[in-house]
Amino acid sequence: SNLRYLDLSSYSSLQSNDLYWLSSLTSLEYLNMESVNLSLASTHWLQVLNLIPSLSEVHLVSCELQNLPQSLHTVNFTSLSVLELTGNRFKSPIPRWFSNLSTLVQLDLTISEITGDVSAVIGDLTTCCKNSLEELILAGNQISGHIPHSLGLLKKLKFLDLLLNFISGPIPETVGNLTNLEVLDLSYNQMNGSLPESIKMLTKLASLDLLQNSWQGILSENQLQSLGKLEYFTISSSNKSFTINVSDNWVPPFSLKDIEINDCLLGPKFPAWLKTQKQLSTVILTNVGISEVISDWLWGLSQLTWCDLSNNQITGSFLPSLEYPSPALQKSTFNRSNSSFTSWHKLYNLNLAGNLLSGPIPANIGQVLASVSMLNLSWNFLDGRMPSSIGRMRNLISLDLSNNQLSGRILDNSRHLKK
C-alpha cells in the first residue's frame, strides 16, 4: 500500500486480464505499463485508475486498449500531470471529462484513433488546464475542423503536435500568444490560408513543421526576424500558392540544422540567406523554382547528410566545382579551405533528379561521393560514359541514372564492390 512507483513496461508477451489489483495501491504516483496487453481490461481500466487520486503520471502506450469512456461519474484525478495513451485503438472523441483534469501538464494521444473536432478538444483543455498544459500531442489521428482562437489561452504550451490529421482552415492569429512554444507541428493536414503575422512572437520556437498543407500568401523576413532559436523549418503547399520572400542581403537571426521547402516559390536563385546557415545537415528544396547553377557554398557545408534539389531547373554541369584533392590534402581532414571534398564525408543522400544538368558524370565521382548511399541523377541531360569509379562507392544502395543521354558500356566493377 506504500508503493509509489510501478514500471511494468514490456516488449515481450506480458499481459493483464484485469486491473482491479491496482486499486489496492492507494499511494501510487507513477504507473507505466507500456506494451502490456490490456485488451481484456479495456472495459474497466479507467474506472480503476480513477480510484487512485494520488496518480501523477500514467503511461499506457500500445496496450491494445479499445475503450475510452466518454463519461465518468466523478473525476478523482486531482494530481494527474502526465497522461500518455499513445498507440491504442479508441475510435472515439476526447471525452468531456478531460475538462476536469486541472493539473494536466502533458497529454499524448498519438496514433490512438481519436476522432472529433479540434475546436472541441482545445476548448475543453482551455477550460481546465490553460494554466498548466505544456505538451499537447495528438499526431496521427482523425481529428478534423478548424483550430479555434481559444488556442491562444494555452499560454504555457511548449509543444504542440497535430501532425497527420484532417484539420482544415488557417492558423489563428492568437498563436502569437503562445510565447513559450518551442515545437509547432501542423504537417500533413488540410490547412490553408496565409501564415499569421503574429508568428513572429514565437521567439522560443526551435521547430516549425508545416509540410503538406495548402498554404497561400507570402512568408516575409519580418515574420522570421524574431525566431532566433529556430533550428528545424519545413513547409510545403499542395496548391503551390505560397511564396517565401526575403531580400538578398537578409541575415537570419537563427542557425538552422534542417530545412525542407517543397512546392513553394523560392527561386529563381538559390536563397542567398542560406549561405549564413553553417550547421545545416538536411537541405531539401524541391520544386521551388530554382533555375541557376548549384551554388558552391552548398557543398562546403561540413554537416551535410541529406541534399535533395530535385524538380527544379538547375543548370550547368554536375558538380563542376568539385575536384578530387591531392594525396597530401586528403590527409588533412580538417582543411576545408582548399577543397570541398573534405566536407563530404557525411553525405548520405544526394537527389538532383528532374533538373537541367548537362555534361558528363565526373570521373572521380566514386572518390568525391564515397559516403553516399542514395544517388539520384535521373531526368537530366547528362551524357558520356558511366565512370568506373562508381564501383568504388561501397555504401551505395540506390543508384538512379535513368532518362539521361549516357552512352557506352556499363563496366564490370564487381571487384571493387566485393572489396
Side-chain angles (χ1 to χ4, degrees):
S1 61
N2 292 322
L3 189 67
R4 296 185 180 183
Y5 186 101
L6 178 60
D7 190 339
L8 296 173
S9 55
S10 170
Y11 298 98
S12 56
S13 57
L14 194 64
Q15 67 178 34
S16 181
N17 294 339
D18 73 71
L19 291 177
Y20 291 111
W21 52 273
L22 276 175
S23 60
S24 300
L25 308 179
T26 54
S27 300
L28 196 63
E29 298 177 3
Y30 179 98
L31 174 65
N32 190 340
M33 298 183 71
E34 180 175 354
S35 298
V36 178
N37 188 335
L38 300 179
S39 57
L40 296 179
S42 285
T43 58
H44 63 270
W45 68 274
L46 180 61
Q47 290 82 353
V48 171
L49 296 185
N50 194 40
L51 297 174
I52 313 173
S54 56
L55 275 173
S56 176
E57 292 195 27
V58 174
H59 303 268
L60 300 179
V61 175
S62 300
C63 292
E64 300 192 33
L65 294 170
Q66 301 175 26
N67 182 34
L68 183 60
Q70 295 297 295
S71 62
L72 275 177
H73 185 264
T74 302
V75 179
N76 291 324
F77 294 119
T78 56
S79 303
L80 193 63
S81 62
V82 176
L83 181 58
E84 186 180 17
L85 301 175
T86 296
N88 290 289
R89 296 177 291 169
F90 294 126
K91 296 183 180 180
S92 64
I94 292 180
R96 295 300 300 272
W97 56 264
F98 270 48
S99 61
N100 289 29
L101 305 180
S102 59
T103 57
L104 203 60
V105 174
Q106 176 184 332
L107 175 61
D108 190 345
L109 293 166
T110 302
I111 316 177
S112 292
E113 300 186 33
I114 297 296
T115 63
D117 194 301
V118 66
S119 62
V121 174
I122 292 177
D124 286 343
L125 295 175
T126 55
T127 299
C128 67
C129 50
K130 65 181 180 181
N131 295 319
S132 63
L133 193 66
E134 295 182 2
E135 296 188 20
L136 176 58
I137 309 172
L138 302 173
N141 287 291
Q142 291 98 47
I143 298 171
S144 58
H146 292 198
I147 298 176
H149 292 285
S150 60
L151 174 68
L153 297 176
L154 300 173
K155 294 185 178 181
K156 288 197 173 183
L157 207 60
K158 296 180 180 179
F159 197 112
L160 177 59
D161 187 351
L162 301 177
L163 163 74
L164 204 60
N165 279 283
F166 299 96
I167 299 170
S168 56
I171 301 174
E173 190 72 30
T174 55
V175 72
N177 295 337
L178 307 181
T179 54
N180 290 304
L181 202 62
E182 299 172 7
V183 174
L184 176 60
D185 194 342
L186 302 175
S187 299
Y188 295 90
N189 279 283
Q190 300 172 356
M191 301 187 69
N192 54 31
S194 58
L195 302 189
E197 189 69 23
S198 64
I199 204 168
K200 65 185 179 182
M201 304 302 294
L202 307 181
T203 57
K204 296 182 180 179
L205 202 63
S207 180
L208 177 60
D209 294 295
L210 303 172
L211 288 174
Q212 292 297 316
N213 285 281
S214 298
W215 307 115
Q216 299 170 320
I218 296 174
L219 178 63
S220 67
E221 62 186 69
N222 182 55
Q223 290 168 288
L224 297 169
Q225 190 61 48
S226 301
L227 308 185
K229 295 187 176 181
L230 196 64
E231 296 181 347
Y232 305 93
F233 176 50
T234 71
I235 189 168
S236 64
S237 178
S238 58
N239 58 17
K240 302 178 183 179
S241 300
F242 189 80
T243 302
I244 298 177
N245 186 16
V246 298
S247 59
D248 289 340
N249 58 358
W250 180 57
V251 178
F254 45 73
S255 180
L256 294 177
K257 294 180 180 178
D258 292 0
I259 184 169
E260 179 172 357
I261 302 176
N262 305 321
D263 301 320
C264 299
L265 182 57
L266 186 64
K269 296 182 178 180
F270 274 91
W273 60 270
L274 280 181
K275 295 180 182 180
T276 67
Q277 306 298 291
K278 305 298 185 182
Q279 303 301 315
L280 283 169
S281 64
T282 298
V283 176
I284 301 175
L285 305 174
T286 67
N287 195 25
V288 294
I290 296 175
S291 58
E292 64 173 359
V293 298
I294 299 176
S295 298
D296 288 347
W297 58 264
L298 185 63
W299 311 122
L301 295 173
S302 61
Q303 303 299 319
L304 195 64
T305 61
W306 195 285
C307 182
D308 187 344
L309 304 176
S310 59
N311 297 311
N312 286 287
Q313 295 85 45
I314 296 172
T315 59
S317 301
F318 171 51
L319 310 182
S321 65
L322 291 181
E323 295 181 359
Y324 190 57
S326 65
L329 184 57
Q330 292 179 47
K331 297 178 181 179
S332 180
T333 57
F334 297 102
N335 185 348
R336 296 189 173 91
S337 61
N338 297 320
S339 172
S340 299
F341 172 74
T342 53
S343 297
W344 281 53
H345 63 283
K346 293 184 179 181
L347 191 65
Y348 176 84
N349 175 283
L350 178 60
N351 187 347
L352 298 174
N355 282 287
L356 303 176
L357 297 172
S358 59
I361 299 175
N364 59 0
I365 186 175
Q367 291 85 13
V368 175
L369 299 182
S371 64
V372 170
S373 294
M374 295 186 290
L375 177 62
N376 190 344
L377 302 176
S378 64
W379 292 100
N380 278 284
F381 296 90
L382 300 174
D383 56 26
R385 297 175 178 271
M386 181 186 297
S388 61
S389 67
I390 286 181
R392 299 183 181 276
M393 300 174 67
R394 298 176 182 175
N395 294 322
L396 199 63
I397 60 176
S398 175
L399 174 64
D400 192 345
L401 302 176
S402 62
N403 294 285
N404 279 285
Q405 299 172 359
L406 301 175
S407 59
R409 296 175 57 204
I410 298 178
L411 301 177
D412 178 11
N413 293 295
S414 59
R415 64 183 184 276
H416 297 302
L417 297 177
K418 288 178 181 178
K419 293 178 181 179

